[in-house]
């Protein structure tokens, strides 16, 4: 009798300020933190514990009862207990029948068990309606009040009504529920807090690989080569010169890699004549981490700016300038200003400044707080049109830096071209292919494909 009446009580819409009673099994860190937050939000909380004794840590407005007694008082029971202790719940199967059990548990490792903890709970108490929620929120955040409404609580479960009840609680606590579907999604939700920057893995590993490659490349060309052939010790280049070579190279290559998957996707769609076939997995994953690639590129570009700013105070640079001045004085003649060189040098700097400015603008618009405030067209304009303009300016910056050095044999030490020349390969390919794709004979069919047209329709009428 008790069992059913508590269910009906909780399912009835809440018309007063006082909300329904919620039961929490477990008076550990998470149970207590959630209990506190719920009491603050107007819920009555009853704890189910192995020991009915209260302690100073337990919210004073909450009751602490045995599991059986506490379960009878509410329709929703939050299981704030580690999965390995769930076994005792089988003895309560009868009392838990028809109740909403909220599984908040996390694991120590990704895919630690063959089934999710929530599915395991549903197997142990088959008559209950299990909902997964709250596992992405920490006890500390609940207690310290560092949660804000933008914090999402991922919710899943097979029973729609039960899920709705839990989502109402989430909203009442000032959080945002995100319905992830049936209980099958629980495994993914449980893995979520255990992932370490999944979208950053590829950009960071790629950057580390490229940094290592270009470091040794520059070391061979700029330090080892002069030492072998001219007995000059330029090992101090490792501190500033080489990093200041690697940073712009990485920034340019990674920026080009942000736009390369889009170009490849266009080629694939043109080739297949449809947009309704999935891209290969590697391309899908690459497209998903474009924002992260762009932000890593921006970090390298910013470092390049900082390294460049210190150039005038470097002792090697000051020594070179003074020795040039002295040699001109000794030769009793000053070199006339080469206007072409002055033009090229100023253009190179100006292109770099404009490129960096747009780069920063791209970075800012990729922040959620900014991107949430622009519409789809504005976002596409910034990320695509301004993005390509940034790539053009940065590529032009590197091309003008190279000037006539591309064909100069002294640029090739041990047949190795200057590192910046390598950095131009990917951006130039992206820009040329993108330019070709704007030709009407390619752009028109591509636009049609993206609007749903198919060369060979899969489902002809
Ligand atoms: P905890 O501090 O160790 O508390 C667990 C509680 O479970 C204990 O206080 C105890 O409560 C109860 N318990 C322990 N052994 C038991 C047994 N053999 N039988 C029945 N009950 C037992 O752990 P917690 O940090 O609160 O975490 C609880 C759950 O919330 C875990 O599944 C965890 O993954 C999840 N979670 C925690 C956090 C967090 O930030 N801590 C965040 C998200 C999710 P009684 O003494 O009252 O019986």
């Amino acid at each position: 009798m008790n069992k059913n009446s508590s269910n009906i009580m909780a399912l009835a819409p809440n018309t007063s300020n006082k909300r329904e009673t919620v039961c929490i099994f477990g008076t550990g860190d998470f149970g207590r933190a959630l209990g506190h937050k719920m009491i603050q939000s107007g819920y009555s909380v009853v704890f189910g514990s192995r020991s009915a004794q209260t302690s100073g840590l337990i919210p004073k407005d909450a009751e602490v009862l045995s599991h059986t007694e506490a379960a009878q008082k509410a329709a929703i029971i939050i299981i704030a207990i580690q999965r390995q202790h769930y076994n005792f719940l089988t003895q309560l199967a009868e009392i838990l029948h028809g109740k909403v059990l909220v599984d908040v548990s996390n694991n120590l490792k990704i895919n630690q068990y063959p089934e999710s903890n929530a599915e395991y709970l549903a197997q142990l108490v088959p008559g209950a309606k299990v909902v997964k929620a709250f596992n992405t929120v920490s006890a500390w955040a609940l207690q310290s009040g560092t949660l804000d409404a933008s914090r999402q609580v991922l919710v899943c479960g097979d029973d729609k009504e039960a899920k709705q009840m839990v989502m109402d609680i989430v909203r009442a606590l000032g959080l945002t529920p995100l319905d992830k579907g049936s209980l099958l999604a629980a495994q993914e939700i449980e893995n979520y807090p255990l992932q370490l920057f999944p979208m950053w893995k590829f950009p960071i590993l790629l950057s580390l690989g490229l940094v290592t490659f270009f470091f040794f490349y520059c070391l061979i060309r700029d330090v080892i080569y002069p030492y072998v052939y001219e007995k000059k010790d330029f090992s101090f280049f490792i501190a500033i010169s080489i990093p200041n070579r690697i940073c712009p190279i990485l920034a340019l290559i990674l920026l080009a890699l942000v736009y390369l998957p889009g170009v490849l996707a266009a080629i694939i769609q043109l080739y297949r004549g449809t947009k309704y076939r999935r891209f290969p997995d590697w391309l899908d994953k690459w497209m998903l981490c474009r924002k992260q690639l762009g932000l890593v590129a921006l970090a390298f570009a910013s470092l390049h700016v900082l390294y460049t700013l210190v150039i005038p105070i470097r002792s090697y640079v000051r020594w070179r300038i003074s020795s040039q001045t002295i040699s001109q004085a000794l030769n009793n003649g000053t070199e006339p200003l080469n206007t072409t060189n002055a033009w090229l040098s100023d253009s190179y700097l100006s292109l770099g400044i404009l490129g960096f400015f747009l780069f920063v603008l791209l970075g800012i618009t990729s922040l959620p707080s900014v991107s949430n405030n622009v519409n789809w067209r504005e976002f596409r304009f910034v990320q695509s049109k301004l993005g390509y303009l940034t790539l053009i300016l940065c590529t032009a910056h590197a091309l003008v830096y190279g000037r006539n050095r591309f064909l100069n044999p002294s640029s090739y030490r041990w047949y190795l071209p200057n590192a910046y020349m390598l950095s131009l390969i990917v951006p130039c390919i992206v820009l040329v292919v993108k330019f070709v794709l704007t030709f009407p004979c390619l752009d028109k069919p591509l636009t049609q494909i993206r609007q749903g047209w198919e060369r060979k329709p899969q489902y002809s009428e």
Side-chain angles (χ1 to χ4, degrees):
M1 149 70 201
N2 263 346
K3 189 173 71 183
N4 293 338
S5 62
S6 62
N7 277 351
I8 293 161
M9 255 165 49
L11 286 164
N14 182 27
T15 46
S16 69
N17 277 344
K18 191 78 189 157
R19 300 178 196 269
E20 70 261 30
T21 300
V22 174
C23 169
I24 300 177
F25 276 8
T27 56
D29 295 338
F30 195 72
R32 289 194 315 268
L34 195 60
H36 260 295
K37 186 87 185 158
M38 290 190 134
I39 290 170
Q40 282 171 356
S41 308
Y43 288 94
S44 295
V45 172
V46 54
F47 283 99
S49 172
R50 291 167 300 171
S51 153
Q53 282 177 348
T54 52
S55 78
L57 292 171
I58 292 171
K60 66 175 179 355
D61 291 326
E63 258 187 293
V64 184
L65 302 170
S66 69
H67 292 118
T68 312
E69 287 170 321
Q72 283 171 339
K73 294 216 167 197
I76 300 181
I77 299 162
I78 295 168
I79 314 291
I81 296 173
Q82 315 282 356
R83 170 189 168 131
Q84 58 270 31
H85 303 310
Y86 280 3
N87 277 342
F88 82 98
L89 293 168
T90 50
Q91 297 151 23
L92 304 178
E94 201 185 324
I95 206 101
L96 298 180
H97 189 88
K99 305 262 180 187
V100 177
L101 299 190
V102 186
D103 184 295
V104 301
S105 64
N106 278 318
N107 292 321
L108 293 176
K109 280 190 264 167
I110 287 181
N111 296 333
Q112 188 171 350
Y113 300 100
E115 74 292 275
S116 65
N117 299 347
E119 287 166 310
Y120 174 63
L121 181 62
Q123 285 165 20
L124 288 178
V125 195
K129 301 162 187 172
V130 175
V131 175
K132 180 89 206 176
F134 290 114
N135 68 310
T136 49
V137 178
S138 77
W140 178 81
L142 278 170
Q143 222 156 16
S144 61
T146 49
L147 285 169
D148 52 38
S150 66
R151 183 68 67 96
Q152 282 181 335
V153 174
L154 310 179
V155 184
C156 76
D158 291 336
D159 188 288
K160 265 191 176 172
E161 206 177 345
K163 202 160 53 173
Q164 200 51 54
M165 287 164 74
V166 176
M167 298 215 288
D168 287 345
I169 294 182
V170 172
R171 276 190 213 100
L173 300 189
L175 303 168
T176 315
L178 182 67
D179 188 348
K180 295 290 279 181
S182 76
L183 210 58
L184 278 176
Q187 185 92 300
E188 188 194 325
I189 297 181
E190 283 167 17
N191 285 338
Y192 184 78
L194 298 170
Q195 288 171 344
L196 188 67
F197 304 118
M199 290 296 150
W200 288 91
K201 217 185 241 169
F202 172 64
I204 287 175
L205 287 179
L206 180 72
S207 311
L208 284 178
L210 287 172
V211 165
T212 315
F213 170 77
F214 280 107
F215 175 78
F216 286 108
Y217 192 88
C218 295
L219 193 73
I220 292 169
R221 269 187 47 92
D222 303 331
V223 178
I224 300 176
Y225 182 92
Y227 186 75
V228 171
Y229 283 101
E230 298 160 29
K231 287 281 169 274
K232 282 184 182 164
D233 178 12
F234 284 142
S235 55
F236 62 90
F237 275 8
I238 291 174
I240 290 187
S241 300
I242 292 184
N244 199 22
R245 228 159 260 190
I246 295 174
C247 288
I249 289 172
L250 266 276
L252 190 54
I253 293 180
L254 294 178
L255 181 63
L257 290 180
V258 171
Y259 293 97
L260 184 57
V263 165
L264 291 177
I267 295 172
I268 291 176
Q269 286 178 334
L270 274 173
Y271 174 74
R272 289 175 173 171
T274 177
K275 69 165 185 177
Y276 295 116
R277 272 171 62 195
R278 278 201 59 189
F279 292 126
D281 259 6
W282 56 266
L283 188 56
D284 261 344
K285 284 187 188 146
W286 188 354
M287 294 226 246
L288 284 176
C289 63
R290 280 181 294 180
K291 173 176 158 180
Q292 287 74 10
L293 272 172
L295 289 175
V296 178
L298 176 58
F300 280 111
S302 311
L303 277 175
H304 173 48
V305 170
L306 292 179
Y307 277 122
T308 307
L309 287 176
V310 300
I311 285 178
I313 57 168
R314 289 181 66 198
S315 78
Y316 170 64
V317 174
R318 282 187 285 143
W319 169 82
R320 246 180 41 182
I321 294 170
S322 60
S323 59
Q324 272 171 8
T325 316
I326 291 165
S327 83
Q328 281 184 30
L330 288 176
N331 292 336
N332 205 16
T334 49
E335 279 174 21
L337 173 71
N338 183 333
T339 331
T340 316
N341 268 351
W343 254 109
L344 285 169
S345 149
D346 280 6
S347 315
Y348 146 73
L349 291 172
S350 175
L351 286 165
I353 291 168
L354 290 173
F356 182 67
F357 173 75
L358 289 185
F359 217 145
V360 173
L361 206 65
L362 285 179
I364 292 172
T365 48
S366 75
L367 296 173
S369 52
V370 179
S371 58
N372 287 346
N373 283 310
V374 291
N375 68 28
W376 175 233
R377 194 163 172 211
E378 289 160 349
F379 184 76
R380 277 208 54 189
F381 172 77
V382 174
Q383 292 299 325
S384 177
K385 301 276 186 310
L386 287 190
Y388 270 107
L389 185 59
T390 311
L391 186 60
I392 291 170
L393 288 173
C394 294
T395 310
H397 171 65
L399 281 167
V400 179
Y401 169 79
R403 295 173 218 173
N404 48 4
R405 271 179 274 183
F406 285 99
L407 300 174
N408 192 338
S410 69
S411 300
Y412 296 83
R413 297 176 174 173
W414 281 327
Y415 302 105
L416 299 175
N418 215 317
Y420 76 87
M421 294 186 198
L422 301 185
S423 76
L424 282 164
I425 298 171
V426 189
C428 288
I429 291 175
V430 173
L431 290 175
V432 169
V433 179
K434 180 69 188 172
F435 177 65
V436 172
L437 285 172
T438 59
F439 291 178
C441 58
L442 294 173
D443 185 47
K444 230 172 133 192
L446 188 61
T447 310
Q448 283 176 331
I449 288 169
R450 287 182 174 169
Q451 283 171 347
W453 174 82
E454 288 185 283
R455 200 182 302 134
K456 287 184 200 146
Q458 286 181 49
Y459 309 103
S460 35
E461 287 158 26

